[in-house]
Amino acid sequence: YFGTVVPDPDAGNGGSSIIFGRPSYQNRVAGQVGKHRGVPDVSMSGACSGQVETYQSFPGQPKGWYAACGTSESTPLFAGIVALADQRAGRHLGLLNPSLYRLAAHHAAGIVDVTRGTTTVEFTRKGKLITIHGAKARTGYDEASGVGTVNGAKLVRELAGA
């Protein structure tokens, strides 16, 4: 939200796991994540100010079109990119995390570094301004955007060729 005051706060955040150790594919970012698993790996569109319409037909809710944002928006977007990469490669690509970090380390065009912004969110509750400080984006891996966001068309080609 980049400092915007909103009535209902929504923001992503990252950090290091207190349970899981750092996987080997994060060795290059050990300076940022330490000995623990860092999240996120990548970031995608998910802002509730730019929602997408999705058709929902699961039990417990009337069938129809609903606005979605956050993980409900970004996960299907990334899944679609992965499905296209699998199709182009002619096989299931499996665990992508090592490839994402390798591509980022080589400044591949499919990984776009996010260098500005923050996951800090401000909102007013009962007349009082509340600020929850989050992670800041910067060059390279960070806990706001991971290795960055993606250029889907280029990432499909890069993953399929990996």
Side-chain angles (χ1 to χ4, degrees):
Y1 282 93
F2 307 104
T4 303
V5 177
V6 294
D8 296 311
D10 289 317
N13 206 357
S16 296
S17 174
I18 61 171
I19 298 172
F20 299 104
R22 184 185 71 238
S24 60
Y25 56 80
Q26 285 191 328
N27 284 345
R28 289 185 176 131
V29 297
Q32 290 87 350
V33 301
K35 295 180 180 182
H36 301 278
R37 170 79 166 97
V39 291
D41 293 309
V42 295
S43 59
M44 297 284 293
S45 174
C48 292
S49 61
Q51 299 177 10
V52 297
E53 293 288 320
T54 59
Y55 188 83
Q56 299 177 4
S57 60
F58 51 84
Q61 184 172 351
K63 294 178 183 177
W65 290 95
Y66 294 89
C69 63
T71 306
S72 297
E73 176 184 355
S74 60
T75 300
L77 287 172
F78 194 73
I81 291 168
V82 172
L84 291 170
D86 282 353
Q87 184 178 32
R88 183 174 180 124
R91 62 184 172 80
H92 177 64
L93 295 174
L95 180 66
L96 295 179
N97 301 61
S99 295
L100 295 173
Y101 283 84
R102 186 173 49 257
L103 290 168
H106 291 98
H107 307 287
I111 303 289
V112 180
D113 195 9
V114 176
T115 59
R116 295 180 308 160
T118 177
T119 59
T120 295
V121 64
E122 294 180 329
F123 57 96
T124 303
R125 173 101 4 108
K126 296 183 181 178
K128 181 180 176 186
L129 180 65
I130 298 172
T131 302
I132 300 173
H133 296 281
K136 292 180 181 178
R138 61 181 185 170
T139 301
Y141 180 89
D142 57 69
E143 292 177 337
S145 66
V147 295
T149 191
V150 302
N151 176 318
K154 292 178 181 178
L155 185 62
V156 164
R157 289 191 297 275
E158 291 164 357
L159 289 173

